[in-house]
Amino acid sequence: FHPHLRSKVLLWLSVSFFYFFSCPPASRPTMPAAEVSRPGRNQYLAALAASGPMFVDGAQLTTLAGLIQSVSGKEISHTVKGFWMGSMYMGVILSMLVSGVVADRYGRRKPLVASLGLTLVASVLCALVEDVKTELYVMMALRALLGFCLGMGIPAAYTMVLEGAETVSSRAVLVTVADTLFSVGQMWGAIGIIVLNPYLESVGLGQRALIGLWPVLPTAAFFALAALGVPESVLWLQTQGLTPNHSHTPQNPWSVLWAPAMRMTVVAVTCLVFAASFLDFGFSYAIPDLLRHVEGETGQKPGLQLVIISALGLVGSALQMLLVTRVNIGHRESMSALGMGLAGLVSLMFGIERYPYVAVAAAYFVQLVANTLRGLMHIYSLEVFPTVCRATGMSMGSFAGRFAAMTVPIIFEMMSHYEVTLTPMIAPIHYAVYQSFFVVMLLFCFGASLVAHYLPFETKFTPLNDDAGEAAPLVGCRA
C-alpha cells in the first residue's frame, strides 16, 4: 500500500484494538445447542406471505433510483433529483408516525392487507405520470403517496413475522427471511432496469412508464397472498384479551413505550437505526455514481451495478443469518463489531485518488456489512419492546431510518453537483466531493459501533417481553 493509505489502515486497527480491549464486552446469551431449533416449513411460508411490503419496498426504491439516474442534468437539476428520491422516503416517514400505533391497536393483518392494496393503486398512478418536465411536482406527490401507503404495512409485517415464530431461536431467523425479501425486491427492480434501460440513458415517456410498472406485478401477487393466506397474530390477540383464556386490558402503546424503563432503549434504538440506515442506503445510492465516474462510459452497465448491489444485500442477509444462529454471540456484540468493521472499510475509501478501484471494492463490502447491520437492528428493535407496543417501537426506529435514507440522496446530490472529471492513471483527480461524503459515513460508523456496544439489553434467545411497562425479562441489563 501507499504510505498514506497504510497509515489510515494502521490508525483504524489501533483504534479498534483499544476499543474492544478497554470496554467491557456485552453479556453473551447462554443457551444449550440442543434447544436451538430452526423454523418449520409452514413458518417459512407464513413469513414469506407476510413479507410483501419488504419486497415491494426494495423493488420500488431500486426502480426509482434507476429512473432518477436516467434523467439528464439538462432536464432537472441534481438538487431536484435528490428531492425526487426523497419524496418516497418522506411518504414512508409520515406513515411511520401512525402505522405502528395502528398495528398495535387494530392488529397486524388489517394494516398489512390495506397497505398492499393501496400500494398497488399508487404504483399504477406513479407509472402513468413520468413526465419530469411538466408534471414533476405531481410525480413527487404521487411518490410520497406511494411511500405512505407502503409504510403503513411495514411495522405490521415485521411484527407479524416475529410473532409467528414458535421458539425463541427461530424469531431472528424468520425476521432475517423478511429482510432477505427486501434484497430480493431490490434484485427484481434491478433486473427491470437491466431489461428496459441498462445504461440508464434518458428515455421517452413510454419506456419510463414501463419501468414504473415493473414492480406492480409482484405487488399484486403479495396482496393476494396477504388477503387470502395470512392469519392474525395470535400473540397480539392474547395481549388484547381477544382469546378465550386471556383477559388482558388493551393499553395505549405510546404510554407503554415512553415508560421510564423503556425511554433509554427507545432513544438508543432510534439513534442506531438512523446510523445503520444512513450507511446502507447511502452507499446503495452512491455506488453507481461513483463507478460511473471512476470507470467512465467504458465501465460496467449502470443497470448491472444495481444488480450487484442487490446481490450484496443477499450476501449480507446470509451473513446476518450466520450471526443470529450463533449461540455465543449476542446481537449487541455483532452490531458493535460490524460498526467497527465498517469504519475500517470506509477508511480505505479515502485512498480513492491513488487507488480508485480499491475504493470501489471497499464500497461494495461496505454495502454488504451495512445491510447486515441494518438487518440486525430490525431484529433487536422487534425483540426489545413488549408486544403491546412492539409495532409502535419498531415504527419509531423505522421513522429514524427512513429519515436518514431521505437525507442521503439530498446530501449526496448537493455534494456532487460540481463538474468532476475523473481520468484515472492519466491526470491528478479531484475527489474532494467523495471524500467529504466518506467523512460523514465514517462518523456514522463509529457512532453506530459505540451505541450498539452500550445498548441496555441483550435480547438474543430470550423470551419476548409481554409485560407492559417492564423491560424484563431480558438478560445483560447494564447498570
Side-chain angles (χ1 to χ4, degrees), residues 44 141 286 298 350 361 398 463 476:
Y44 279 120
T298 60
F350 283 95
S398 298

Side-chain angles (χ1 to χ4, degrees), residues 310-392:
S310 304
L312 289 174
L314 295 176
V315 178
S317 297
L319 176 59
Q320 179 181 334
M321 185 71 74
L322 177 65
L323 291 173
V324 300
T325 53
R326 292 292 299 272
V327 298
N328 61 338
I329 302 177
H331 292 325
R332 293 177 301 184
E333 289 179 293
S334 298
M335 291 186 290
S336 183
L338 289 174
M340 290 302 297
L342 283 171
L345 291 170
V346 173
S347 67
L348 289 175
M349 301 181 68
F350 283 95
I352 185 172
E353 184 173 354
R354 295 182 177 87
Y355 304 99
Y357 294 102
V358 172
V360 169
Y364 281 133
F365 280 102
V366 166
Q367 176 66 34
L368 187 156
V369 178
N371 183 274
T372 304
L373 176 60
R374 191 171 62 89
L376 289 176
M377 269 311 307
H378 283 157
I379 297 172
Y380 186 87
S381 63
L382 286 166
E383 292 180 340
V384 76
F385 296 117
T387 301
V388 70
C389 65
R390 179 168 293 122
T392 305

Side-chain angles (χ1 to χ4, degrees), residues 167-189:
T167 63
V168 295
S169 58
S170 62
R171 293 192 314 245
V173 174
L174 293 178
V175 177
T176 302
V177 170
D179 280 327
T180 304
L181 263 290
F182 177 83
S183 299
V184 175
Q186 286 183 309
M187 180 69 73
W188 175 265

Side-chain angles (χ1 to χ4, degrees), residues 330-466:
H331 292 325
R332 293 177 301 184
E333 289 179 293
S334 298
M335 291 186 290
S336 183
L338 289 174
M340 290 302 297
L342 283 171
L345 291 170
V346 173
S347 67
L348 289 175
M349 301 181 68
F350 283 95
I352 185 172
E353 184 173 354
R354 295 182 177 87
Y355 304 99
Y357 294 102
V358 172
V360 169
Y364 281 133
F365 280 102
V366 166
Q367 176 66 34
L368 187 156
V369 178
N371 183 274
T372 304
L373 176 60
R374 191 171 62 89
L376 289 176
M377 269 311 307
H378 283 157
I379 297 172
Y380 186 87
S381 63
L382 286 166
E383 292 180 340
V384 76
F385 296 117
T387 301
V388 70
C389 65
R390 179 168 293 122
T392 305
M394 198 270 174
S395 66
M396 286 290 294
S398 298
F399 174 88
R402 293 314 172 110
F403 183 78
M406 183 188 70
T407 59
V408 162
I410 297 174
I411 292 175
F412 183 80
E413 292 291 351
M414 292 179 68
M415 282 184 173
S416 63
H417 74 279
Y418 301 101
E419 291 294 332
V420 181
T421 303
L422 304 184
T423 54
M425 311 299 180
I426 299 177
I429 309 168
H430 179 65
Y431 284 99
V433 170
Y434 293 107
Q435 289 178 343
S436 300
F437 189 69
F438 299 156
V439 168
V440 176
M441 291 294 188
L442 190 62
L443 293 176
F444 277 109
C445 291
F446 283 115
S449 181
L450 187 64
V451 173
H453 191 76
Y454 287 102
L455 284 171
F457 306 108
E458 178 58 66
T459 64
K460 190 173 184 178
F461 295 155
T462 60
L464 288 177
N465 173 25
D466 294 323

